[in-house]
Amino acid sequence: MALDRKTTEQMARLARLRLDPEQAADVAEDLSRILDMIDRIEEVDTAGVEPLAHPLHLAQPLRPDEVINAPDRDRLQQSAPDVLEGYFRVPRSVE
Amino acid sequence: MEFEPVIGLEVHAQLATSSKLFCGCSTRYGAEANTQTCPVCLGMPGSLPVLNREAVRMAVMMGQAVEAEVRGRSVFARKNYFYPDLPKGYQISQYELPVIEHGRLRIEPDEGAPKLIGITRIHMEEDAGKSLHEGFGEGVTAIDLNRTGTPLIEIVSEPDMRSPAEAVAYLKKLHSMVRYLEICDGNMQEGSFRCDANVSIRPAGREEFGTRTELKNLNSFRNVERAIHYEMARQQEVIEDGGHVFQETRLWDADAGHTRSMRSKEEANDYRYFPDPDLLPLEVSETLVDEARSSLPELPDAKRERFMEAYGLKDYDASVLTTSRELADYYERVVATGADPKLAANWTMVELLGALNKDGTEITESPISAEDLGRLVQRIEDETISGKIAKQVFEPMYAEGADPDTIIEREGLKQITDTSAIEATVEEVIAENEAQVQQYLDGKEKVLGYFVGQVMKKTGGKANPQQVNQVVKERLDAKKG
């Protein structure tokens, strides 16, 4: 299944990726191949097979409800591009 | 044309766990910005979520309280979107396989008959952070991620409600339920209990649903009602003008009293859900189900029925007293002192709730203890004071937190039941009001009330009114001779 240009651009926008036209063509080709592979998988008769949400046959382990993390703001904010009075500062996100 | 609304609600309730859904950060409200965060809730690469068992137990309790099915195996999914207060770029939620499905809730709206509202599903998810757009300078948004990762349950109803009153009744019932279960503090101002409404209208009698809009920012019961009313009228106008209602998200503006379209971005509803590979399927064990069931308290409906039966209360009174578990407990402690249940209900609902509502105080912060209110009711029953004087005793009790006997003693409010004392006062009043005596003798019997009033005045309202009535009548009749 070939992915058209419009869908590719929409995917890129949703993922916040900026693609120049050449890259977009490459990505479209790669994604089309992945979709072809999925089409092939879909040919397999899976009637009576339970849907698989995770490849491991294990259940989610649960942890007790305990606060174990102490405040560590300065260290955690070291990689933030911009902070202000303990807040992360970002460009205004509403009009 | 007559239109009918079709309403479904989506309610988000923050679970009252100590730590977050997938990490050991505190969920406490009001801490300094970003001091309750860690690599997991900040979405740092390489960190992994581990599910909080208590949050699962609380979600299961909610499911049991609305008679729903608990799914043995459910799956966490990623809901993908970009926003500054969502550091991972996705919210961990549940999509195709939620932990709870197919429940129902009985409501009793202020207008109309009781009704069962279907609950489609209840799923677990994590809350986002907070964006502050004001007070940090021009063009700046400040992000606090303390709330990021706080456990939520989203309770999705069927589109079963047909009036704003039904929607409010449903929301109030859910609100009371989560507080009974002690799984959410229900604070709407702080956002721990939030509601979105899906509203459409259709010509009365038609089966098919109209196009719905989703209303957001409904942060009080009153606003839910106002916003739905507004939106019904707006949609009706659009249709009557020959237009079409668009499926969109609209923001309720309480100050302006209207809803307005949120700039609908084309990708707004393209969340590309997929199972979260970082989390294994959730298996709710029998042990956990049993644990949740055994911790279920008596729920509002059952309690209301019991109050009606055990205490002989009317439906309305029983409903009011069971709105919250704290209020119901308070009332039962008043009754436990030996006070008459009906009188106790009156004093709790009328005087106490009236005073508490006036200063916005919760029942748990009541300056009058249940035991003292019980004693006050008993003083009315044993005729130490009249119901009227009791109100005078109530005020200083409320202001000072003092017990009723101390106030009655201090203010000298004990009812005068001593016949000779009453007789003496009656004689005085008769002697001072010759003109009125003559009127009475001339057959104007209504003037009796005047004498009773004068006696009550002289005794500061403390004389037993029945006794006064009797003595006045005896003495005046004796003059007829």
Side-chain angles (χ1 to χ4, degrees):
Chain A
M1 193 185 115
L3 206 61
D4 63 37
R5 197 178 134 184
K6 207 179 145 211
T7 313
T8 309
E9 281 170 1
Q10 168 72 351
M11 291 292 115
R13 197 160 40 241
L14 287 170
R16 296 290 192 277
L17 294 174
R18 187 183 296 135
L19 300 178
D20 61 42
E22 205 175 304
Q23 286 173 313
D26 283 353
V27 168
E29 211 181 302
D30 284 351
L31 287 176
S32 299
R33 274 205 296 273
I34 293 170
L35 291 174
D36 287 343
M37 187 186 74
I38 290 168
D39 283 344
R40 277 187 65 197
I41 293 173
E42 283 191 336
E43 286 167 20
V44 179
D45 179 11
T46 55
V49 180
E50 247 192 74
L52 183 75
H54 202 282
L56 297 178
H57 288 279
L58 293 169
Q60 174 62 34
L62 301 174
R63 47 167 260 273
D65 180 28
E66 282 163 13
V67 176
I68 53 168
N69 297 337
D72 196 10
R73 185 170 69 190
D74 290 345
R75 203 170 63 89
L76 290 167
Q77 286 189 331
Q78 273 173 18
S79 55
D82 194 5
V83 294
L84 174 70
E85 296 165 26
Y87 291 89
F88 293 96
R89 178 157 60 180
V90 301
R92 192 170 166 85
S93 58
V94 291
E95 277 106 88
Chain B
M1 204 190 307
E2 188 87 12
F3 285 93
E4 166 188 74
V6 174
I7 305 160
L9 297 185
E10 290 171 12
V11 173
H12 285 91
Q14 261 180 12
L15 296 177
T17 54
S18 309
S19 66
K20 293 185 178 179
L21 188 54
F22 296 114
C23 62
C25 288
S26 171
T27 55
R28 196 166 57 84
Y29 181 86
E32 215 187 302
N34 294 306
T35 52
Q36 291 170 180
T37 58
C38 75
V40 174
C41 56
L42 291 178
M44 301 277 191
S47 63
L48 282 173
V50 187
L51 186 57
N52 185 339
R53 184 179 194 272
E54 183 64 1
V56 179
R57 190 187 66 89
M58 288 178 171
V60 170
M61 276 177 82
M62 187 66 209
Q64 290 167 340
V66 296
E67 301 167 61
E69 291 160 28
V70 178
R71 209 179 243 289
R73 196 178 160 85
S74 67
V75 171
F76 284 97
R78 293 185 179 180
K79 177 179 179 178
N80 299 282
Y81 66 95
F82 286 102
Y83 204 75
D85 59 22
L86 188 75
K88 293 196 297 294
Y90 59 86
Q91 176 194 30
I92 304 177
S93 180
Q94 295 193 299
Y95 188 54
E96 284 165 312
L97 303 170
V99 64
I100 309 287
E101 285 176 303
H102 313 308
R104 58 194 182 153
L105 193 67
R106 183 177 181 273
I107 60 162
E108 292 123 51
D110 289 342
E111 307 149 27
K115 188 170 173 179
L116 280 177
I117 305 297
I119 288 176
T120 317
R121 56 185 279 156
I122 301 175
H123 65 252
M124 302 177 68
E125 61 186 28
E126 54 177 354
D127 209 342
K130 265 186 196 156
S131 299
L132 296 123
H133 307 295
E134 306 298 329
F136 292 89
E138 193 78 5
V140 170
T141 293
I143 308 290
D144 176 7
L145 299 177
N146 281 346
R147 197 178 69 178
T148 311
T150 297
L152 297 174
I153 46 174
E154 178 173 341
I155 305 157
V156 182
S157 83
E158 292 289 313
D160 282 349
M161 288 153 273
R162 296 289 174 269
S163 70
E166 286 186 0
V168 170
Y170 168 82
L171 194 61
K172 282 190 173 167
K173 191 62 175 283
L174 266 192
H175 185 254
S176 141
M177 200 75 106
V178 296
R179 293 174 65 213
Y180 261 79
L181 298 172
E182 295 177 336
I183 61 171
C184 172
D185 67 18
N187 191 320
M188 294 177 89
Q189 265 76 45
E190 291 175 5
S192 38
F193 188 84
R194 318 196 278 266
C195 170
D196 300 334
N198 288 305
V199 179
S200 65
I201 59 168
R202 61 182 176 188
R206 202 173 78 177
E207 281 280 312
E208 206 184 316
F209 290 164
T211 305
R212 65 165 197 264
T213 57
E214 184 180 358
L215 310 184
K216 287 193 176 285
N217 196 30
L218 313 174
N219 58 1
S220 71
F221 296 119
R222 170 113 181 85
N223 278 327
V224 168
E225 189 161 18
R226 287 175 66 205
I228 296 174
H229 267 298
Y230 174 86
E231 187 59 17
M232 284 161 56
R234 188 193 69 85
Q235 292 184 11
Q236 182 165 344
E237 206 177 301
V238 168
I239 292 169
E240 284 173 348
D241 289 350
H244 293 282
V245 173
F246 293 108
Q247 185 166 340
E248 62 177 351
T249 301
R250 299 181 68 86
L251 198 70
W252 168 247
D253 182 335
D255 295 327
H258 65 210
T259 64
R260 63 165 190 272
S261 182
M262 287 174 84
R263 212 162 57 103
S264 57
K265 299 175 184 146
E266 53 190 308
E267 70 263 33
N269 285 311
D270 195 348
Y271 293 125
R272 295 148 293 139
Y273 284 95
F274 64 90
D276 191 327
D278 285 347
L279 287 155
L280 291 154
L282 165 63
E283 284 182 4
V284 180
S285 65
E286 282 296 315
T287 321
L288 193 52
V289 170
D290 291 344
E291 210 179 292
R293 181 161 293 123
S294 64
S295 53
L296 280 184
E298 183 184 32
L299 293 170
D301 286 346
K303 207 183 269 285
R304 191 196 64 229
E305 300 268 324
R306 181 168 63 80
F307 277 21
M308 289 167 68
E309 244 169 63
Y311 304 129
L313 301 184
K314 290 197 194 93
D315 196 340
Y316 175 80
D317 294 0
S319 291
V320 171
L321 290 170
T322 54
T323 336
S324 81
R325 192 166 156 184
E326 290 80 10
L327 178 58
D329 288 350
Y330 184 98
Y331 168 70
E332 291 210 273
R333 289 210 310 278
V334 176
V335 174
T337 64
D340 173 70
K342 284 185 197 169
L343 210 50
N346 263 330
W347 278 85
T348 306
M349 285 167 56
V350 183
E351 300 301 327
L352 185 63
L353 282 190
L356 292 173
N357 286 343
K358 211 167 118 191
D359 13 289
T361 307
E362 295 296 321
I363 185 76
T364 46
E365 306 295 317
S366 167
I368 300 182
S369 72
E371 290 67 30
D372 281 345
L373 191 66
R375 256 195 292 277
L376 177 67
V377 171
Q378 285 174 291
R379 292 300 161 266
I380 305 169
E381 288 177 68
D382 65 20
E383 298 193 334
T384 306
I385 50 174
S386 66
K388 204 170 165 192
I389 291 288
K391 288 181 191 180
Q392 279 181 48
V393 179
F394 179 88
E395 280 169 29
M397 278 174 76
Y398 189 86
E400 305 160 22
D403 76 278
D405 293 327
T406 306
I407 308 275
I408 294 167
E409 187 68 29
R410 188 183 76 197
E411 315 270 320
L413 293 170
K414 204 165 176 314
Q415 184 159 248
I416 303 165
T417 47
D418 170 8
T419 316
S420 57
I422 291 174
E423 282 171 349
T425 314
V426 170
E427 285 300 340
E428 263 176 53
V429 170
I430 287 175
E432 287 162 10
N433 295 285
E434 280 175 27
Q436 282 79 3
V437 172
Q438 197 51 52
Q439 284 175 3
Y440 184 81
L441 297 178
D442 292 344
K444 203 177 165 197
E445 301 223 344
K446 269 206 285 194
V447 82
L448 196 78
Y450 173 80
F451 287 100
V452 174
Q454 291 301 308
V455 175
M456 294 308 284
K457 202 168 157 190
K458 269 187 189 279
T459 57
K462 289 181 293 181
N464 180 308
Q466 287 81 22
Q467 263 179 301
V468 174
N469 228 314
Q470 199 188 337
V471 174
V472 167
K473 195 161 165 31
E474 272 172 22
R475 291 298 149 104
L476 288 174
D477 286 345
K479 285 191 185 290
K480 279 184 179 168

